Amino acid sequence: MKLWATIAALGLLAIGAWAQGVMPTISLPPCDSPEAEAAALVAQDFLNAQHTHGYKYALNQIDKIKIISKPGEADTYLLELDLLETTCHVLDPTPVGQCPVRQKQFTAVEADCDFALSNTTQGLSVVAFKCKTETESTEDLCLGCPLLIPLNDTDGIQLIEASLDGFNKNHTLNTKFALFEIGRMASQVVSGGNMYFAEYGIIGTNCTSHDDDICIPQNHTVAVHGFCLAQGSAKLNKVDCNIFKTQVVDPATNATVPVQQLLHAHTSGPHHNPTIHGLKHHKLTTLHDPAASGLLSAESAESAEIVVPKEAPVVKREVAASEGLATDVTADATVAEKTPIPLQSMPTVPICPGKKKHF
Ligand SMILES: *[C@@H]1O[C@H](CO)[C@@H](O)[C@H](O)[C@H]1NC(C)=O
Ligand SMILES: *[C@@H]1O[C@H](CO)[C@@H](O)[C@H](O)[C@H]1NC(C)=O
Ligand SMILES: *[C@@H]1O[C@H](CO)[C@@H](O)[C@H](O)[C@H]1NC(C)=O
Ligand SMILES: *[C@@H]1O[C@H](CO)[C@@H](O)[C@H](O)[C@H]1NC(C)=O
Ligand SMILES: *[C@@H]1O[C@H](CO)[C@@H](O)[C@H](O)[C@H]1NC(C)=O
Ligand SMILES: *[C@@H]1O[C@H](CO)[C@@H](O)[C@H](O)[C@H]1NC(C)=O
């Protein structure tokens, strides 16, 4: 039934398309082909460049790829990707390929994203994307592992304030840093009570290390940024900050003005929105479609499809699934008498999804 419907619909589509001379062709390269990989990496880099807060995401698996070609138009690539959060802040210049992904026991974050790319004469570029971010369920966590806590947790914030104060007193960059954003906070029960963990971004201010007054964060576009890992408590902590750019911050003046509270500096960072980030950990932009391409909305994505080439891999997957069934029913004599499915001739390597790079 379904097949007939498909064929009938195709016939109509084909006639319509021929009439207008715009018959699109669809190709479905394997998800692990160099072509798919190249497009996925462009998508990954674009996604990371979009954000000024949160962490970089690394490609984990290519779920689907479809290339739509129309005469006289740039090819459109539709990709479905799984990405994993890394431990590198988005402003960290470390290439994402060298950033470790956050392991499951530290509450990994996964993103499922759909991308539309266009292969113009300038190369591949992202036209639109949409993402869904999910935090690994706590069932997969080990007993006694640090658990995420809301980003407004009082003890966590005190750890951040105290550890940044310690860092500001101890580094040799002659700039005071202010809190830019909180990346993560977690706590763990240890013998002495609770141990806190915080990851936070910092931004250079107009104060030198010795200024003791109001310190305003530098313009975000030119400021020095860094990222700190702190653990312990407000009273006793360890902090390790990685400063991203070594460019010299120009201390505008050396006048002394009152020091601002860290949380005030925090609210001045770009994209900081306490109503959004007060409690939740970072998520990716859910929909980005500046060209209003409509390529990613469920309805239009379906209607843009010409289905024939797509059927091939679907059929292969159904056949693969029936292998399991065939072995399960051998106890039934009537079934066993039937001609066995020739397993050897079945495709064993699915074209899609591709291999998982991490987990
Ligand atoms: C983009 O199109 C050009 C030809 O216009 C082709 O040579 C190139 O391989 C395509 N890029 C990708 C990643 O498919
Ligand atoms: C954190 O935010 C939530 C929701 O906005 C609020 O209910 C809670 O009291 C806040 N906790 C602290 C410690 O400020
Ligand atoms: C400053 O750094 C030294 C070693 O580099 C360390 O022993 C000391 O605890 C640090 N002080 C603060 C306040 O972080
Ligand atoms: C930093 O900038 C603020 C606002 O312009 C100003 O009030 C303050 O004096 C400056 N601080 C220093 C140390 O120059
Ligand atoms: C920050 O600097 C950029 C480039 O120099 C400028 O376009 C922007 O207006 C500045 N923003 C603020 C808030 O001063
Ligand atoms: C900053 O202090 C230095 C030395 O105290 C002085 O030479 C310089 O003129 C001061 N700069 C400003 C902008 O006040």
Side-chain angles (χ1 to χ4, degrees), residues 35 77 119 124:
E35 202 176 13
Y77 286 55
N119 184 16
L124 281 168

Side-chain angles (χ1 to χ4, degrees), residues 251-255:
T253 82
N254 37 18

Side-chain angles (χ1 to χ4, degrees), residues 125-139:
S125 61
V126 173
V127 179
F129 72 82
K130 68 175 179 193
C131 289
K132 202 170 69 178
T133 319
E134 268 174 23
T135 305
E136 189 82 21
S137 84
T138 44
E139 285 159 26

Side-chain angles (χ1 to χ4, degrees), residues 44-59:
Q44 167 197 270
D45 292 346
F46 182 86
L47 184 71
N48 288 326
Q50 277 299 300
H51 294 98
T52 53
H53 63 103
Y55 297 88
K56 289 190 185 185
Y57 278 76
L59 178 64

Side-chain angles (χ1 to χ4, degrees), residues 15-303:
I15 291 162
W18 277 120
Q20 295 163 50
V22 289
M23 181 69 170
T25 54
I26 293 196
S27 61
L28 298 161
C31 280
D32 280 328
S33 63
E35 202 176 13
E37 189 83 6
L41 292 180
V42 168
Q44 167 197 270
D45 292 346
F46 182 86
L47 184 71
N48 288 326
Q50 277 299 300
H51 294 98
T52 53
H53 63 103
Y55 297 88
K56 289 190 185 185
Y57 278 76
L59 178 64
N60 189 34
Q61 187 175 35
I62 302 172
D63 288 332
K64 279 187 193 159
I65 176 167
K66 175 157 58 180
I67 305 175
I68 304 170
S69 312
K70 283 187 203 162
E73 280 180 35
D75 290 356
T76 298
Y77 286 55
L78 297 178
L79 289 171
E80 218 177 285
L81 306 179
D82 284 350
L83 299 107
L84 289 169
E85 190 189 76
T86 69
T87 58
C88 291
H89 189 263
V90 280
L91 299 176
D92 187 335
T94 307
V96 65
Q98 290 167 32
C99 293
V101 303
R102 201 179 294 280
Q103 296 301 307
K104 285 196 177 188
Q105 71 264 34
F106 299 113
T107 319
V109 180
E110 258 182 54
D112 289 335
C113 299
D114 293 341
F115 286 90
L117 294 89
S118 180
N119 184 16
T120 64
T121 46
Q122 272 89 52
L124 281 168
S125 61
V126 173
V127 179
F129 72 82
K130 68 175 179 193
C131 289
K132 202 170 69 178
T133 319
E134 268 174 23
T135 305
E136 189 82 21
S137 84
T138 44
E139 285 159 26
D140 290 330
L141 300 178
C142 60
L143 202 64
C145 278
L147 288 178
L148 293 187
I149 53 177
L151 296 184
N152 65 351
D153 182 274
T154 313
D155 292 304
I157 287 172
Q158 282 174 359
L159 165 65
I160 291 176
E161 291 182 1
S163 62
L164 179 52
D165 199 38
F167 173 70
N168 271 331
K169 289 195 175 112
N170 223 11
H171 68 70
T172 55
L173 300 166
N174 201 27
T175 304
K176 255 203 181 98
F177 287 92
L179 183 59
F180 171 62
E181 68 173 11
I182 301 175
R184 278 192 162 220
M185 289 205 297
S187 77
Q188 185 178 23
V189 181
V190 292
S191 53
N194 270 338
M195 163 109 136
Y196 292 88
F197 298 85
E199 301 185 7
Y200 56 94
I202 54 176
I203 183 166
T205 65
N206 64 346
C207 292
T208 66
S209 291
H210 304 290
D211 290 331
D212 237 357
D213 294 305
I214 290 177
C215 303
I216 302 295
Q218 305 277 358
N219 183 335
H220 171 63
T221 53
V222 294
V224 176
H225 291 85
F227 200 68
C228 303
L229 304 180
Q231 68 178 76
S233 65
K235 286 205 189 85
L236 185 64
N237 58 68
K238 275 198 307 199
V239 64
D240 181 15
C241 297
N242 174 20
I243 304 302
F244 298 148
K245 287 182 207 148
T246 45
Q247 83 192 26
V248 180
V249 178
D250 176 25
T253 82
N254 37 18
T256 53
V257 271
V259 160
Q260 220 183 13
Q261 287 299 302
L262 282 177
L263 283 176
H264 293 190
H266 180 193
T267 56
S268 66
H271 297 281
H272 175 75
N273 182 341
T275 59
I276 293 173
H277 288 303
L279 263 179
K280 300 242 167 84
H281 286 77
H282 294 280
K283 293 192 164 198
L284 292 172
T285 305
T286 45
L287 178 65
H288 173 89
D289 193 357
S293 67
L295 284 165
L296 298 177
S297 79
E299 307 77 37
S300 55
E302 284 308 311
S303 64

